Amino acid sequence: MMSSGVVLAVGFQLSGGDSQTDALIWYSWLGGVIIGTMLGANSVLEEHCKAGPRNVVITGSTRGLGKALAREFLLSGDHVVIASRSPDSVLQTINELEENIQEGLSVAKKKQRETLLQAKVVGTSCDVCKPEDVKKLVNFAVGELGSIDIWINNAGTNKGFRPLVNFSDEDITQIVSTNLVGSLLCTREAMDVMQYQEKGGHVFNMDGAGSGGSSTPLTAVYGSTKCGLRQFQASLMKESRRSKVGVHTASPGMVLTDLLLR
Ligand SMILES: *[C@@H]1O[C@H](CO)[C@@H](O)[C@H](O)[C@H]1NC(C)=O
């Protein structure tokens, strides 16, 4: 894993937030240690980077992109809260990520070692569709880490590709409640904590197919939630102009595709 040396995985184009964070790009490398290399003037996030480990909550982080992101933050010496619906998956992921940190330590040079020794991973189960679960996750994160600097709404599902009539009641309910309701609840709770923190904080919502209003045949329900999230993001940006909390959209697809096609 650590030795793959492959430049891939998680590249991010971030947009939104306040006027200072217009266009940020984060690159991170599997096997590398960089997350938070940002282009963009006067980035507010830079302060967080310089101030040492960041406290990061990532929903839906026991697999895929969420897990890869968690790993990258950890390898940068950050503190990460893992969350997903299954308590077993959470435990398993924590173990796996701790192993990654140990692997990193075993080959790290002095400076990198100091960074890695700061890394900390904890986690709890959370169904983002349930308000009480989201509150519990927030309390867990604050209890374990003291504050939350970055919250990433990564939990999402599309339930496969087929015509609308082939999606069951459960499918539709689950897609909308995870992708849309879950992101709204999490964003609200995260903002509610961050607004009282001295340093504020940053909330990221994941872009996906359909975000810009384009059609997403065979995954129409998913597309509608992603488009809804864009609208939500745009509204929040206006609402929270003078807020200490930045709201952003993370687009994993763009840079990722770019890297893969190169
Ligand atoms: C959709 O449902 C119909 C009727 O149940 C079935 O015949 C068809 O194969 C399904 N199509 C897909 C793509 O799942």
Short mmCIF file of all heavy atoms in Angstrom, two decimals, residues 161-163 165-166, ligand 1:
data_model
loop_
_atom_site.label_atom_id
_atom_site.label_comp_id
_atom_site.label_asym_id
_atom_site.label_seq_id
_atom_site.Cartn_x
_atom_site.Cartn_y
_atom_site.Cartn_z
N PHE A 161 -27.55 1.25 -11.36
CA PHE A 161 -28.01 1.96 -12.54
C PHE A 161 -29.16 1.22 -13.20
O PHE A 161 -29.01 0.09 -13.64
CB PHE A 161 -26.85 2.09 -13.54
CG PHE A 161 -25.73 2.95 -13.02
CD1 PHE A 161 -24.77 2.41 -12.18
CD2 PHE A 161 -25.65 4.29 -13.36
CE1 PHE A 161 -23.73 3.21 -11.68
CE2 PHE A 161 -24.63 5.09 -12.87
CZ PHE A 161 -23.68 4.54 -12.03
N ARG A 162 -30.32 1.82 -13.21
CA ARG A 162 -31.48 1.24 -13.90
C ARG A 162 -32.57 2.31 -14.05
O ARG A 162 -32.47 3.36 -13.43
CB ARG A 162 -31.99 0.02 -13.15
CG ARG A 162 -32.17 0.20 -11.67
CD ARG A 162 -32.40 -1.15 -10.98
NE ARG A 162 -32.81 -0.93 -9.59
CZ ARG A 162 -31.96 -0.69 -8.61
NH1 ARG A 162 -30.68 -0.62 -8.84
NH2 ARG A 162 -32.41 -0.48 -7.38
N PRO A 163 -33.60 2.00 -14.86
CA PRO A 163 -34.66 3.00 -15.05
C PRO A 163 -35.38 3.26 -13.73
O PRO A 163 -35.42 2.40 -12.85
CB PRO A 163 -35.62 2.32 -16.02
CG PRO A 163 -34.88 1.17 -16.62
CD PRO A 163 -33.83 0.79 -15.65
N VAL A 165 -38.41 3.25 -12.81
CA VAL A 165 -39.46 2.32 -12.37
C VAL A 165 -38.88 1.07 -11.70
O VAL A 165 -39.58 0.36 -11.00
CB VAL A 165 -40.39 1.87 -13.53
CG1 VAL A 165 -41.28 3.03 -13.96
CG2 VAL A 165 -39.61 1.30 -14.69
N ASN A 166 -37.60 0.82 -11.91
CA ASN A 166 -36.97 -0.34 -11.28
C ASN A 166 -36.35 -0.03 -9.91
O ASN A 166 -35.77 -0.90 -9.29
CB ASN A 166 -35.90 -0.92 -12.20
CG ASN A 166 -36.50 -1.60 -13.41
OD1 ASN A 166 -37.19 -0.96 -14.21
ND2 ASN A 166 -36.27 -2.88 -13.55
C1 LIG B 1 -36.86 -3.63 -14.56
O1 LIG B 1 -37.98 -4.33 -14.09
C2 LIG B 1 -38.59 -5.13 -15.09
C3 LIG B 1 -39.87 -5.69 -14.51
O2 LIG B 1 -39.70 -6.20 -13.22
C4 LIG B 1 -37.64 -6.22 -15.53
O3 LIG B 1 -38.20 -7.05 -16.51
C5 LIG B 1 -36.37 -5.56 -16.06
O4 LIG B 1 -35.41 -6.53 -16.37
C6 LIG B 1 -35.79 -4.58 -15.07
N1 LIG B 1 -34.72 -3.85 -15.69
C7 LIG B 1 -33.57 -3.62 -15.10
C8 LIG B 1 -32.54 -2.87 -15.90
O5 LIG B 1 -33.30 -3.95 -13.95
#
